[in-house]
Amino acid sequence: MNAPPGTAPPPTDGERPHAAHAAPSGDEGRTTVNRHHERLLGGPPELTAAEFASRAGVEESIARQYWRSLGFPDVPGDEQWFTDTDVAALRALAEAVESDTVSLNAAQDLVRGLGHSMDRLVLWQVEAMVQDLSARYRLDDVSARLVVLDRMVELSPLLREQLDYAWRRQLIALLGRIDRDIARLGSEVGEPDQLPLERAIGFIDIVSYTTRSADLTPKALATLVQDFESAARDVVARYGGRVVKTIGDAVLFVADDLPAGARVATSLVQVMAAQNLPVRGAVVWGRLLSRSGDVFGPVVNLASRLTDLADPFTILMDDVSAAVLESLPAGQEFQMVHSAPAQVQGLGEVRPVQVQRQRSTTTD
């Protein structure tokens, strides 16, 4: 079996790498994590929190807030935890605040976003590598994690390059959406209290997930979740939507127009039906607020409640959203079936409408 490029072969069947990896010559006494720390952060931790703050030119309380905003716990005052790399990062942000490029509150919010996103990103990447090694080299979970612990940093140059590229691509895509929103609104001035963004919002979830997952092995459960998320992200992206978040058995997505949202939802039902995985969902049109990478507003609650009412392999809309879709040229792609009104807690009476793609327009 072939090892990943740039790495030594993984342990063969029956061999398990030992947690206390032997250090290369000259590295006696240093653990794998110690060596990774030096490679990623430029050296061993030598600075206390007070020294970290002093070298960055900020008060210690600001340095500690910065550290917490990244998502890390407080460091005891007498522990050496920081490096010059940490100092440089904090100093750069402090200089941006001092020059009035960003406010202190905005800087903290930006750092919170980075901390949250990077925590999820590195977890995603590591788990992907663990699963890959387990499958390709028939390793148990512990052995696969030991290999990842030993060799993940070797992938860091590639991962950093891809991170920078993806960030630039996502930023230009977002700026494009802002430009289109402004062009569409023109000189219109919205109501001062209305939510700023008009979007299609959709929920898709797995039917009877709790019962289904209780009978699965850990490996089968991981496969179920990964297959669902992969299919959801692929279909959402294909039709121009964006995944807001996944919650185990459910995915929340947005689209800039209602036909795109309806295509996402109905196509995902078809894709998962082909895999014998029953899902259901809802798509609605309305105004929402976007903050901290999430979306908020009554339409989000409405989409969630409609999903609870949906039967397996069906997508629901409220009657107002369905009327909007039917009024558009792209509405001809869909067939609408009106259902009896339903009482929904917190929202009152809702008139669900089942939406399906016309067979002649289905391309999945």
Side-chain angles (χ1 to χ4, degrees), residues 9-22 32 133 137-151:
T12 59
D13 291 345
E15 295 182 15
R16 172 178 288 186
H18 196 276
H21 301 289
T32 300
L133 289 166
Y137 302 119
R138 300 184 300 278
L139 299 178
D140 61 79
D141 186 76
V142 173
S143 295
R145 290 182 186 278
L146 286 168
V147 175
V148 168
L149 173 63
D150 195 40
R151 301 173 188 171

Side-chain angles (χ1 to χ4, degrees), residues 289-303:
L289 176 70
S290 176
R291 286 293 184 272
S292 302
D294 206 343
V295 292
F296 307 90
V299 292
V300 181
N301 296 331
L302 176 57

Side-chain angles (χ1 to χ4, degrees), residues 145-164:
R145 290 182 186 278
L146 286 168
V147 175
V148 168
L149 173 63
D150 195 40
R151 301 173 188 171
M152 188 70 184
V153 171
E154 295 176 14
L155 287 174
S156 61
L158 171 64
L159 296 178
R160 286 198 300 270
E161 290 173 3
Q162 292 296 312
L163 173 62
D164 176 68

